[in-house]
């Protein structure tokens, strides 16, 4: 992975996007449906693209929203639709387009009071809260966000009545219908003006902010945080949760400081990511330089990405925690401090997340539920409480409420972040210190993830990689025990490959949301062994992609 010379440095003027041009392209661009990159495609988490590339514009949103209206009608989903959007420049225009179509189709829509931004987990929580105990008239939702992606990207996610990211069968139906609508020049799309949509009898304001904040005491021990008087720092990274944190502090009387309240669609306040792009990734040390520099001002600090479904934890003892490290600490803590949780509920993780979690779960007699990358695989288990936790190494997680009931079925950046404060208050040491104790007991895993650019064709090649392409019998000098292309928990394709030995593993897969591929590796046998495994993994991936990228 080639680290750009500007990585970790403040964004310079010359890389900032031109917002007027971006928004103009949203309204004027016409996608060519014969070009694969300009068709509607739901990846790991919804449709994403840029108006500059004709992959996310008004026609896309008109078609997708109408397709969702058709899907709702077919499935007899006739409750309200909870609609939210984040702070990316394309999100507000896409919100307007979406509401125009929903209102024209007489869908009851719940939009935020005071034109407020709405985080992904808040939409999931609202859907579940509304649907609880209902037998009919179920709600669903849409979140307009490309998550932590660069400022010129737009994104669109559909959450069905289970509250989580739509599963493959649902997204394939919507994708197919939407592309057909594009091919027919949108002739069957219903639409009214934005002004009429706002004034429609089917459009309602909903107090997302206070409803969500008031319920936080049902998942986090706010009393112990407040009584400990620990100092907390928060950087919303200019995202949809920017106006949530101070009301949280006020409601629960926490000593919490929001260190950055700026909302700027160019995200010019960021330090740039590994590849020289602006990316609001709270798990990236390059993107998190400003909060890391403040670590000694607070007992614990954290950030969330643009739609607040990911977390980044900064400790005094260790700085920014690797997401795998924090997930391990969080699970270790929760399994000891949630007495009302069902003892048989399993711990969900993706196949590219640390196996330290497996060792921790085993200590407490918990099963591991290993799934492909994508939070949609946790939804059913979180919904019926057969899972008490779902987490992925890209810093996305959620978990059960204090009483063991479902909280969200989508990633929630708020609750893992607030949990780090609960842990610090309860244990009187921060998660970085607790991680050091964990590795003394369970062994120290050395982990790495690299990313590199890849074309759509190269991504397809990697997605189709076969175990027969792995000719070696060893990995890092250790006998290969297993090679999988399907997840152990549900036998679903992992969209790549994972090679496993007794003490190490690597996995390779294309990104579902960006034109990159990722190699993940972990070893309990030291840094040198990890380096050797990464090199061997890269050789295998290069052969599959027929490229010359190096680690």
């Amino acid at each position: 992975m080639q680290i750009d010379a500007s990585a970790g440095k403040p964004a310079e003027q010359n890389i900032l996007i031109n917002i007027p041009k971006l928004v103009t392209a949203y309204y004027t661009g016409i996608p060519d449906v014969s070009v694969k990159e300009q068709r509607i495609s739901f990846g790991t988490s919804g449709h994403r693209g840029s108006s500059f590339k004709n992959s996310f514009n008004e026609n896309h949103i008109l078609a997708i929203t109408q397709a969702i209206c058709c899907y709702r009608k077919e499935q007899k989903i006739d409750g309200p639709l909870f609609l939210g959007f984040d702070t990316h420049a394309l999100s507000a225009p896409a919100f307007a387009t979406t509401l125009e179509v929903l209102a024209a189709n007489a869908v009851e829509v719940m939009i935020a009071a005071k034109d407020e931004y709405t985080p992904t987990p808040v939409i999931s929580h609202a859907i579940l809260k509304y649907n609880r105990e209902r037998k009919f008239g179920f709600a669903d939702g849409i979140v307009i966000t490309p998550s932590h992606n660069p400022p010129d990207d737009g994104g669109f996610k559909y959450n069905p009545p289970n509250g989580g990211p739509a599963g493959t069968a649902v997204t394939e139906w919507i994708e197919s219908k939407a592309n057909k609508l594009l091919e027919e020049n949108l002739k069957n799309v219903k639409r009214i003006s934005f002004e009429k949509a706002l004034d429609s009898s089917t459009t309602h304001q909903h107090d997302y902010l206070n409803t969500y904040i008031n319920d936080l005491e049902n998942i986090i021990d706010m009393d112990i945080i407040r009584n400990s008087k620990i100092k907390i720092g928060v950087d919303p990274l200019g995202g949809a949760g920017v106006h949530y944190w101070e009301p949280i502090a006020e409601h629960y009387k926490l000593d919490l400081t929001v260190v950055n309240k700026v909302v700027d669609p160019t995200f010019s306040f960021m330090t740039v990511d590994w590849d020289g792009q602006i990316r609001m990734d709270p798990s990236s040390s390059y993107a998190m330089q400003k909060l890391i520099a403040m670590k000694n001002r607070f007992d614990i600090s954290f950030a969330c990405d643009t739609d607040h479904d990911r977390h980044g934890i900064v400790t005094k003892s260790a700085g920014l925690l690797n997401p795998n490290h924090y997930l391990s600490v969080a699970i270790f803590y929760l399994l000891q401090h949630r007495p009302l949780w069902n003892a048989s509920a399993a711990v969900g993780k993706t196949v590219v997340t640390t196996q330290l979690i497996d060792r921790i779960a085993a200590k407490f007699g918990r099963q591991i539920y290993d799934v492909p990358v994508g939070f949609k695989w946790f939804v059913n288990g979180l919904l019926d409480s057969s899972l008490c936790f779902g987490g992925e190494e890209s810093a996305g997680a959620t978990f059960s409420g204090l009483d063991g009931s479902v909280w969200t079925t989508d990633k929630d950046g708020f609750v893992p972040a607030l949990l780090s404060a609960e842990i610090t208050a309860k244990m009187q040491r921060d998660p970085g210190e607790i991680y050091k104790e964990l590795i003394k007991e369970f062994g120290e895993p050395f982990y790495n993830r690299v990313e590199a650019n890849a074309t759509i064709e190269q991504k397809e090649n990697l997605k189709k990689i076969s175990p027969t392409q792995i000719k070696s019998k060893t990995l890092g000098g250790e006998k290969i025990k297993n090679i999988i292309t399907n997840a152990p928990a549900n036998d679903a394709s992992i969209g790549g490959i994972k090679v496993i030995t007794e003490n190490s593993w690597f996995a390779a897969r294309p990104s579902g949301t960006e034109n990159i591929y990722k190699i993940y590796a972990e070893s309990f046998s030291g840094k040198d062994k990890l380096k050797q495994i990464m090199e061997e993994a890269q050789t295998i991936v290069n052969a599959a992609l027929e490229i010359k990228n190096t680690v």
Side-chain angles (χ1 to χ4, degrees), residues 31-49:
D32 183 345
V33 291
S34 68
V35 177
K36 186 175 183 180
E37 292 85 349
Q38 296 183 30
R39 290 176 67 82
I40 291 162
S41 177
F42 278 73
T44 309
S45 191
H47 174 74
R48 295 186 188 176

Side-chain angles (χ1 to χ4, degrees), residues 59 103 114 161 167 202 204 242 294 321 338 347-348 382 403 412 455 522 529:
N59 282 15
K114 301 178 182 178
T202 57
H204 314 279
V242 65
M294 300 180 196
L321 289 186
R338 293 297 186 267
V347 174
L382 290 165
D403 64 356
D412 189 331
T455 65
E522 181 175 62
K529 187 66 69 177

Side-chain angles (χ1 to χ4, degrees), residues 88-105:
H88 275 79
L90 290 176
S91 294
F95 166 80
T97 305
T98 302
L99 188 61
E100 290 170 2
V101 176
L102 293 173
N105 283 272

Side-chain angles (χ1 to χ4, degrees), residues 343-370:
S344 64
V347 174
K349 60 183 271 288
T350 58
V351 294
V352 297
T353 303
T354 179
Q355 287 190 340
L356 179 59
I357 292 173
D358 301 54
R359 299 183 180 192
I360 292 168
K363 175 184 174 71
F364 296 103
R366 298 277 180 167
Q367 293 294 313
I368 286 290
Y369 189 76
D370 239 339

